[in-house]
């Protein structure tokens, strides 16, 4: 799961229902990542997200990897 834009704030786990979903994902060994630039832009503390099991990985790096593995980017 990749958190991008304002969605990076979900990684803080402040909303109980979202925290429960993130906990379930981690329990299922689903990797959680967020864009560090967006974390900074939103004024969030990356250490808080990382303590909640959310890794930091630049969006450009993730997109390049997806395209390289055959995914197509569709803008709406």
């Amino acid at each position: 799961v990749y958190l991008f834009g304002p969605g990076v704030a979900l990684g803080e786990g402040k909303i109980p229902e979202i925290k429960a979903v993130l906990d379930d994902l981690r329990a299922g060994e689903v990797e959680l990542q967020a864009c560090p630039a967006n974390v900074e832009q939103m004024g969030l503390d990356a250490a808080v997200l990382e303590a909640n099991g959310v890794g930091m990985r630049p969006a450009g790096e993730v997109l390049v990897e997806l395209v390289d593995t055959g995914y197509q980017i569709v803008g709406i």
Side-chain angles (χ1 to χ4, degrees), residues 47-76:
V48 171
L49 275 74
E50 290 171 333
N52 285 327
V54 179
M56 297 293 121
R57 192 159 172 224
E61 184 179 298
V62 173
L63 288 173
V64 167
E65 182 179 303
L66 290 170
V67 170
D68 284 349
T69 57
Y71 286 86
Q72 291 184 342
I73 306 302
V74 178
I76 297 178

Side-chain angles (χ1 to χ4, degrees), residues 1 5-6 8-9 11 14 18 23-24 29-30 33 37-39 44 51-52 57 61 63-64 66 70:
V1 174
V8 297
K14 290 183 177 179
I18 298 296
D23 290 344
D24 286 345
E29 299 183 16
V30 174
Q33 298 177 335
N38 292 155
V39 169
L44 305 175
N52 285 327
R57 192 159 172 224
E61 184 179 298
L63 288 173
V64 167
L66 290 170

Side-chain angles (χ1 to χ4, degrees), residues 26-42:
R26 280 191 301 278
E29 299 183 16
V30 174
E31 189 173 4
L32 303 171
Q33 298 177 335
C35 177
N38 292 155
V39 169
E40 184 178 325
Q41 289 168 342
M42 296 291 296

